[in-house]
Amino acid sequence: ICPEAYDDGPIGYLKDGDEISIDVNAGTIDAKVDFAARRASGKKPTPQKAEGLLYHYRHSCASASEGALIRTHDE
């Protein structure tokens, strides 16, 4: 549901059971996944239809690499 998955980013290619590590102090999120191979398989994740608050989140939240902030009119 996050912008990366919706915009064909690597998070959209994660599967149940993939090992993910998050280092809050370093500000990193890593996965032991060959994303290039998953993209090359031709099976793109299909975004689900978003309605209500999920729609607004999907269209207003910045990616994790940008801090996952919700953009406001001031930005």
Side-chain angles (χ1 to χ4, degrees):
I1 63 168
C2 65
E4 292 92 340
Y6 184 73
D7 293 335
D8 195 37
I11 290 175
Y13 290 89
L14 291 173
K15 297 179 181 179
D16 286 344
D18 287 344
E19 186 176 331
I20 301 168
S21 60
I22 300 171
D23 185 332
V24 175
N25 293 325
T28 60
I29 302 172
D30 295 304
K32 293 184 178 181
V33 174
D34 185 348
F35 290 110
R38 290 197 180 167
R39 275 200 175 105
S41 74
K43 295 182 180 178
K44 291 179 83 172
T46 305
Q48 296 179 357
K49 182 178 178 182
E51 298 176 350
L53 292 175
L54 180 57
Y55 172 86
H56 291 288
Y57 169 78
R58 182 178 277 173
H59 292 281
S60 63
C61 188
S63 69
S65 64
E66 297 174 10
L69 303 171
I70 295 176
R71 296 181 189 102
T72 65
H73 295 288
D74 298 336
E75 295 179 48

